[in-house]
Amino acid sequence: MSVTLKQALVLPSLRQATLLAGFDNLDRPITSVNVLEYIGTETLHQQNETAGRFAGGELVLTCFSSIPTNVNAQCECLRALAQVGQAGLVLYYVGTVMPQVDPALVTLAQELDFPLLVMPPRMELRYSEIIGDVMDAILRDQADNTHLLGDILEHMTLLPEHQRTVDTVLQLLSDRLRATVLLLDSTGQLLGACAWPRGSQTDMTDLLIQARQGNADQCCRLTIDPGDAAPMELCLLKAGQPLSNEVQQQAQDVMQLALNLWSLKHAELAIEELVRAILRDEPIKMRRLAALFRLNVASIHCMWMLSPLDPACREEFLRRVPTIASQLLEPHCQAAIAGSYQDFVIVLADNGVFGPEGEALAAQLDAQLKSEGLGAGFVCCQGLENTAQVRAAFLRSSEGLPSAQTIWPTRTVHTLGEIDFALHCKNDLVQDEASVTRCRAVLAPLHSSSEELPLVDTLAVYLLDADQNIARCAQQLFLHKNTVKYRYQQITHRLGHTPDKLPELTALYEAVALYRLLEK
């Protein structure tokens, strides 16, 4: 059995800790201890992708030294740790570095049932004491119990559903055996890998060469039979003392079961790796995986980026939407792949989803997802010339989508142009006091009357939500058409021109967008 947080709490270094939340979630196994002095959630995702996705199970120590008073950032970090299945968070130096544990942080941890502990405020307490105690317990447990299959299965059942993948099993095997793990298909193509130590910069091509050379003291090559697909090969590269026959057999059993339970089609693993390679700009890996699927990466010119509107459906969304999108696009595109990346589903396709036909397909997918309770925020990026532009479009969209959803709350599908406009409003206007003053001055005449008419809100709906259509604006506001016509006349009178007049329309559109962001 693995060391659990409940067992760790009786270790000398943790006896002084106070448990604030997560009382019902103390049976999660601890795989290691990590120190995290706050990195933003976006950086946390990037670290995930470059150093190997978290398999969870880490006990995280921090004093939030860079954000001791930023409660929102602390909550974002705690939520991100809970989402990747970490074992718990231990807070140090509260009252010295951190002024206090804010009630909002405790409330969030209770809602997520995520273990949150706080150490006494004394500065002489050291991270190394918990690291030493917990890691010693883990290593003794692993020495006494060599049952890989049971331990890894137990760990997998406690992870969020979207993390129950072959990739995660490879990572757990690598951590447990302290060995580099490679999974190859029947043609010798790499399907998945996890280097030891984690984050190693070793080229996977070099590791493949080592595996194929088959040095008996360092490389174990095990055949895996998925049953409904061609046999695969599991390679374990271990420095120093070779793995025993018993451990090799258990590793083989673990991977056999993982493929049966969490990879109905081994190609699905490589598809998501291809999506990640494109978005991380890894040309060698991209070309190798593209060749595996006989896909011409140069033919990809369109990207759809989808995120769940309901955070509670996140795991189901990331699991189901790639398949739904792929099935929808298959008759219309010669090149189309879909997979999850960070908190998004990414669909990459050729010009089969360009122009009016692409808009119709996007609307069809949007309607289908809504009917299945998987409503999505949707960004459609078209006319992308190469994978570098695909990556740039993803970075802009992931940053700008929340602002776009604030500016256009009634839309679920956004274009890349709208994302760029939202970023302009968020980065150039909100952070520039002169720009804020200018935009407020544009709308000032609509506030000048003693009448209690919500003219700014009406103008915002008219320009942003109703495409400058009075009938549609009335429908959005649940008002009679004549009421909106009267307000339109009042807006025209106070501005001195109709809201639709160019070039004045440009300043008005920008002003009402900024108004919504500032109101938010």
Side-chain angles (χ1 to χ4, degrees), residues 454-510:
L455 298 183
V456 175
D457 291 307
T458 301
L459 179 62
V461 172
Y462 176 74
L463 294 180
L464 298 174
D465 303 325
D467 296 325
Q468 300 163 253
N469 183 290
I470 288 179
R472 198 176 303 164
C473 181
Q475 187 178 24
Q476 293 268 357
L477 291 170
F478 301 101
L479 296 172
H480 192 277
K481 184 177 177 181
N482 289 339
T483 302
V484 174
K485 280 184 177 180
Y486 174 74
R487 292 185 185 180
Y488 181 90
Q489 292 166 357
Q490 289 296 309
I491 291 169
T492 299
H493 174 71
R494 294 173 191 181
L495 292 176
H497 57 81
T498 65
D500 313 276
K501 180 179 179 294
L502 285 169
E504 287 83 353
L505 171 61
T506 304
L508 279 176
Y509 197 92
E510 195 173 80

Side-chain angles (χ1 to χ4, degrees), residues 142-221:
Q142 291 180 358
D144 295 339
N145 300 285
T146 58
H147 302 295
L148 287 177
L149 184 59
D151 286 352
I152 290 179
L153 277 179
E154 178 188 19
H155 189 109
M156 292 290 285
T157 58
L158 294 172
L159 286 175
E161 187 173 353
H162 71 275
Q163 287 183 273
R164 297 175 197 167
T165 66
V166 172
D167 264 353
T168 301
V169 173
L170 292 174
Q171 184 177 316
L172 291 172
L173 268 178
S174 175
D175 288 348
R176 182 64 182 267
L177 301 178
R178 294 175 179 78
T180 294
V181 182
L182 308 173
L183 181 65
L184 311 177
D185 69 6
S186 58
T187 67
Q189 294 287 337
L190 187 66
L191 294 178
C194 189
W196 178 264
R198 186 85 58 81
S200 171
Q201 298 300 311
T202 306
D203 191 330
M204 287 300 168
T205 304
D206 294 337
L207 294 178
L208 272 175
I209 293 173
Q210 293 180 38
R212 286 164 180 159
Q213 288 174 345
N215 187 323
D217 293 334
Q218 295 184 335
C219 179
C220 308
R221 304 178 66 174

